[in-house]
Each structure stands twice: as structure tokens, then as C-alpha cells.
Amino acid sequence: MNPLRRYEKIMEMLLASGEVMVTDLSEQLQVTGKTIREDLAKLEQKGLLQRIHGGAVLAQENQLGILSLKQEEAPYAAQHQEIAELAVSLIEANEVIALDGGRTTLAIAKLLPDEPLTVVTNDLHIIAELASRTSIRLVVPGGYQIRNMLIGAEAAAYIRRLNIARAFLSATAIHPQSGFTIYSGESADIKRAWLETAKTSYVVADHYKFGQGALFTFAKLNEVSAIITDSGITQETAEQFRQEGATLLIGEKGA
């Protein structure tokens, strides 16, 4: 297994449990403890984890870019609600929209009225949320399951054949130089498919994600139509990202 794939597996295990041990990682990834400790040191340098005696923990509280199958109370529910309200206001009747997997996109789904609309999504929680809406046409690309998301090459190929008006994408972190980042490289192709297929694309992210970084970049700041965020973002941060080529749509009291 190459180092990048090990990093991805380490972060997936860390996101699932909040803490990993060198002995467990060594056994599951079939490499020496020395190799795992070197991997953890490199991931710590990137700011993705913090080493502890015998293992590592997450470096940041809000690193969960993917929901667990057991839904937890979102730590920033108010911000997600504000972003969702702004996102829903952009959607027009009878449009075809895409909702990527994530807490903020789930908040968008919960606010969608039961009116004529086509929603394409790979998020199991969003599928469950919209399944009973009789006026919404729900389209699921398929794929194999990782946590709450369905991904895979066939799903990405299917998405690329669609006519999507607006895509709402999630990101684990947004960095001025690294752009939009996530922990799972397997999700990157799906996100690229949404991005390249939609006429208009948005990344929806609360202000806590700005200035942070994750393992894989799936898009540069100027590759999406706009970032939709909440009013907690400071004027300084908003201007910094605008200078780097990003367009921001901010809640009512935003910068």
C-alpha cells in the first residue's frame, strides 16, 4: 500500500473513532509500527491530527466532513440552517439540482418544499429525508457505500451524463492555497463529477472551515460559482478569500 493510500486509511479510521493506536493501524494496514509512526508524524505536520502516546487524535473538533451512519447532533446546526436557507432561496421550481453528501447539504434537503423539483444525491440521509416528498423526483446515481455516501466510478460516470442546473457540494476544509479539501480520495471523483456537470456550482461550508486543510484537494477556489457560508465569517477572512479568486454568498449579517 502506497503512503498516500495509508494516509487516507488512517484518516478514515480516525474520523470513525476519534482516536487511533499505532498497534491497531500497524495490524490493519500490514506495515511496521515504525512506518505508522512516520505516517502519523507527517499527518501531524499537515495539521490533520495530533499524536498522543501510542497513537493519535483529531487535531480539530470540526473535522467530520462525512456523517456517521448514526446521526449525531451537528455541532454548528445554526450555521448550517443559515447556509441552507440562503441555498434554498437560489433554487427555482422544476430545476434539476444535486446535493452532495454532508451535514449542510442535509440541512438544505430538510428545507426543500414538497414542490416540483428533481434532486440528484448520493447521500443516504438525504435520500431518506426526501423519499416521502411526493412532488420531488429523487435520482440516485448508485455506487458502493462509504458511511452515508454512495460513490464509485460508475456513479461518477452516470452523473456526468446528467443536465444539472445547480450543484451544492460539501467540503471538509477551505484553504486559500489548497482550495476545497476532503479526507477521502474516493469521494473526489464524485465531487468533480458534480462540479463539471452542473451549470452553476456552490460549495456550502460554515465559517469554521475557512483557513483549514484536509488531505485531498478536489477543486480550486475559482472552480466553483460561489461559496455559500454563514454570517459568522469575518470581513477579514471573506476579503482574504475574495482576493484568492473566490466568490462568497454570505448570510444576512455577513461581511
Side-chain angles (χ1 to χ4, degrees):
M1 184 181 295
N2 65 52
L4 192 59
R5 182 59 176 156
R6 286 201 309 274
Y7 300 161
E8 183 179 4
K9 284 294 185 183
I10 289 169
M11 290 309 303
E12 285 180 358
M13 293 169 65
L14 192 52
L15 288 167
S17 61
E19 180 178 338
V20 292
M21 304 306 293
V22 171
T23 53
D24 295 334
L25 292 172
S26 177
E27 180 181 348
Q28 293 198 38
L29 301 182
Q30 298 183 336
V31 294
T32 65
K34 180 177 181 293
T35 297
I36 292 297
R37 284 188 286 272
E38 291 173 350
D39 289 345
L40 295 180
K42 290 177 181 178
L43 291 170
E44 185 177 47
Q45 289 174 1
K46 294 176 179 290
L48 302 179
L49 55 77
Q50 180 180 342
R51 285 183 293 171
I52 59 174
H53 180 68
V57 296
L58 289 173
Q60 307 160 29
E61 291 182 359
N62 188 33
Q63 284 181 284
L64 293 175
I66 302 175
L67 293 173
S68 64
L69 286 179
K70 179 182 179 182
Q71 291 193 59
E72 301 171 355
E73 184 66 25
Y76 304 115
Q79 288 84 357
H80 296 167
Q81 180 75 9
E82 183 179 346
I83 295 167
E85 289 175 357
L86 180 52
V88 170
S89 73
L90 302 172
I91 300 170
E92 299 180 5
N94 296 303
E95 278 191 329
V96 178
I97 70 165
L99 294 179
D100 188 22
R103 286 192 172 95
T104 311
T105 48
L106 177 58
I108 293 172
K110 289 180 177 180
L111 287 183
L112 289 176
D114 191 5
E115 297 175 356
L117 188 70
T118 299
V119 178
V120 189
T121 185
N122 63 325
D123 186 302
L124 296 176
H125 296 322
I126 294 175
I127 294 167
E129 175 68 30
L130 298 179
S132 61
R133 313 277 181 92
T134 57
S135 296
I136 292 178
R137 182 185 183 191
L138 189 58
V139 178
V140 180
Y144 58 92
Q145 180 182 342
I146 291 186
R147 297 186 181 89
N148 61 297
M149 296 196 295
L150 299 172
I151 62 174
E154 291 183 0
Y158 178 84
I159 289 168
R160 287 187 168 94
R161 296 198 300 267
L162 303 178
N163 294 313
I164 296 173
R166 302 176 198 272
F168 298 89
L169 312 180
S170 63
T172 301
I174 306 175
H175 191 273
Q177 283 75 51
S178 302
F180 304 106
T181 61
I182 52 176
Y183 285 117
S184 174
E186 293 175 307
S187 299
D189 192 35
I190 288 285
K191 290 180 182 289
R192 290 299 308 179
W194 296 130
L195 180 63
E196 294 166 3
T197 304
K199 294 179 181 177
T200 306
S201 58
Y202 307 94
V203 166
V204 291
D206 59 68
H207 72 275
Y208 296 101
K209 293 183 177 180
F210 285 76
Q212 306 296 330
L215 201 55
F216 296 93
T217 295
F218 69 85
K220 298 177 181 178
L221 293 178
N222 62 2
E223 287 188 280
V224 304
S225 304
I227 306 171
I228 304 177
T229 191
D230 63 271
S231 58
I233 191 169
T234 65
Q235 292 185 0
E236 180 181 11
T237 299
E239 185 56 31
Q240 177 190 11
F241 279 82
R242 288 178 179 129
Q243 289 295 324
E244 295 294 334
T247 298
L248 274 66
L249 300 178
I250 306 173
E252 290 183 2
K253 299 179 182 179

